[in-house]
Amino acid sequence: MASTFPLVAGHERGRGVTSFPLMVSLSNHELARRMSRIAICAPGTPITRDVAERVSAIAGEFAQLELHFHEQCFVEDGHFAGSDAVRLAALLECANDPGFDAVWFAKGGYGANRIAVEALAGMSEAARGKTYLGYSDCGYLLAGLYRAGEGRAVHGPMPVDIRREGGEAAVRRALGWLSGDAAGLEPSLGERPAAAFNLITLAMLCGTELMPDLSGHVVMIEEVAEHLYAVDRLFFHVTQHLRNVAGLRLGRISAVPENDRPFGSTAEDIARDWCARSGIVFLGAADIGHDAANRIVPFGLARTPARS
């Protein structure tokens, strides 16, 4: 017998999750064996419903995935996708539900740091076996999860990236990886553990209770919309906390605003300079950034999600 799930939006009773089930035609046995259920919430800023609809349409290409957008993704409360309490509750609802296999963060922006410590404290046993996928401001949560050994933290595209030029490819890359396809992984990943961060997020993490031990790791860094003098200042701070890493790779430093005078050094010059000053090996480029080409970097050793 085949099971078919039409592409409709509905509200699951008691869960507060807007579901966009995907068109799937599988036997019940295959469905039970292959289906992965992905919960989506917004720990920082909101997305619009058209983002959810466009991402869900693409997800229809991945028969083994079922996406569930939490209603909190669409809440607007000033800058944030709901108050701290609302965002925290939605994250824990998604993380602690044993019916979900992964939590995909809808968007960055700002706000994840405000709920990260409480979120980690509130996670149950069910949360520990999940994959958590996102980047940018969501790096606060990824860092805390990795430090605590809770679940599996992964840098990678988010639903909001559908709005970028070429964003469909970014969404397909994330969904492919969640389906077990390694093609979207950052190509330099190898036998050494790795982690990837937005530069200012990593700078803010340093010295906090969320900062993981990155000794022996290849650390990849990207940034967007910061003046080069600010990038230089951030590297000054970050490299003081990365002296025991295996090396640093530089992702794309994009949308750099024009200053009233040229800084005089490129982003790569800045990274090389501060790595040399701090005794950190500069390993070259990383294929990550605030763009549709952003590749996937699992924290630790690279592998695709385990398939049941």
Side-chain angles (χ1 to χ4, degrees), residues 216-297:
H217 288 60
V218 174
V219 178
M220 304 183 192
I221 293 174
E222 56 82 25
E223 189 51 272
V224 64
E226 292 287 348
H227 287 88
L228 286 176
Y229 68 79
V231 171
D232 188 75
R233 181 167 54 209
L234 291 166
F235 264 103
F236 154 70
H237 178 68
V238 162
T239 51
Q240 304 304 303
H241 296 267
L242 298 179
R243 295 184 185 273
N244 294 321
V245 300
L248 184 142
R249 287 188 175 274
L250 183 65
R252 288 174 286 282
I253 308 295
S254 58
V256 176
E258 288 191 19
N259 197 19
D260 59 354
R261 67 194 69 193
F263 183 67
S265 300
T266 67
E268 182 175 332
D269 292 336
I270 292 168
R272 286 182 178 276
D273 179 38
W274 285 108
C275 282
R277 292 175 184 233
S278 305
I280 297 169
V281 178
F282 182 74
L283 296 171
D287 195 3
I288 63 170
H290 268 67
D291 52 42
N294 187 27
R295 292 293 196 103
I296 294 164
V297 181

Side-chain angles (χ1 to χ4, degrees), residues 104-295:
W104 195 12
F105 300 129
K107 184 181 178 182
Y110 173 70
N113 62 310
R114 295 174 59 90
I115 63 172
V117 173
E118 291 86 350
L120 290 166
M123 287 185 177
S124 69
E125 186 64 31
R128 298 187 179 103
K130 287 183 172 61
T131 293
Y132 298 85
L133 176 63
Y135 73 107
S136 189
D137 184 70
C138 299
Y140 294 106
L141 286 164
L142 298 179
L145 287 161
Y146 191 52
R147 173 175 174 146
E150 301 280 353
R152 187 166 178 223
V154 183
H155 165 105
M158 299 182 290
V160 71
D161 287 317
I162 194 72
R163 304 184 72 171
R164 299 186 186 278
E165 181 178 356
E168 293 86 354
V171 169
R172 287 188 177 96
R173 188 178 309 119
L175 293 172
W177 186 81
L178 287 167
S179 301
D181 184 356
L185 290 173
E186 204 283 332
S188 71
L189 294 172
E191 297 182 356
R192 291 181 292 191
F197 293 97
N198 171 257
L199 176 57
I200 197 166
T201 301
L202 180 57
M204 296 299 100
L205 279 164
C206 291
T208 72
E209 59 193 311
L210 296 172
M211 180 68 177
D213 181 2
L214 297 176
S215 298
H217 288 60
V218 174
V219 178
M220 304 183 192
I221 293 174
E222 56 82 25
E223 189 51 272
V224 64
E226 292 287 348
H227 287 88
L228 286 176
Y229 68 79
V231 171
D232 188 75
R233 181 167 54 209
L234 291 166
F235 264 103
F236 154 70
H237 178 68
V238 162
T239 51
Q240 304 304 303
H241 296 267
L242 298 179
R243 295 184 185 273
N244 294 321
V245 300
L248 184 142
R249 287 188 175 274
L250 183 65
R252 288 174 286 282
I253 308 295
S254 58
V256 176
E258 288 191 19
N259 197 19
D260 59 354
R261 67 194 69 193
F263 183 67
S265 300
T266 67
E268 182 175 332
D269 292 336
I270 292 168
R272 286 182 178 276
D273 179 38
W274 285 108
C275 282
R277 292 175 184 233
S278 305
I280 297 169
V281 178
F282 182 74
L283 296 171
D287 195 3
I288 63 170
H290 268 67
D291 52 42
N294 187 27
R295 292 293 196 103

Side-chain angles (χ1 to χ4, degrees), residues 3-166:
S3 298
T4 303
F5 296 83
L7 184 63
V8 295
H11 190 76
E12 294 186 356
R13 182 178 301 173
R15 191 189 297 281
V17 177
T18 298
S19 302
F20 293 86
L22 314 177
M23 190 67 73
V24 182
S25 183
L26 297 171
S27 71
N28 289 338
H29 174 72
E30 289 174 324
L31 188 64
R33 178 172 57 85
R34 296 181 57 195
M35 183 66 70
S36 289
R37 302 179 73 240
I38 314 300
I40 302 169
C41 62
T45 53
I47 59 171
T48 55
R49 293 188 185 275
D50 72 290
V51 166
E53 291 165 1
R54 292 175 64 190
V55 170
S56 295
I58 292 175
E61 302 168 14
F62 298 84
Q64 63 271 54
L65 297 181
E66 182 179 310
L67 304 188
H68 296 262
F69 283 85
H70 198 291
E71 274 293 316
Q72 173 269 330
C73 291
F74 316 113
V75 174
E76 296 185 18
D77 186 353
H79 172 87
F80 302 103
S83 65
D84 288 354
V86 166
R87 300 195 320 280
L88 175 62
L91 173 55
L92 289 177
E93 201 170 311
C94 293
N96 290 339
D97 189 329
F100 291 123
D101 302 290
V103 177
W104 195 12
F105 300 129
K107 184 181 178 182
Y110 173 70
N113 62 310
R114 295 174 59 90
I115 63 172
V117 173
E118 291 86 350
L120 290 166
M123 287 185 177
S124 69
E125 186 64 31
R128 298 187 179 103
K130 287 183 172 61
T131 293
Y132 298 85
L133 176 63
Y135 73 107
S136 189
D137 184 70
C138 299
Y140 294 106
L141 286 164
L142 298 179
L145 287 161
Y146 191 52
R147 173 175 174 146
E150 301 280 353
R152 187 166 178 223
V154 183
H155 165 105
M158 299 182 290
V160 71
D161 287 317
I162 194 72
R163 304 184 72 171
R164 299 186 186 278
E165 181 178 356

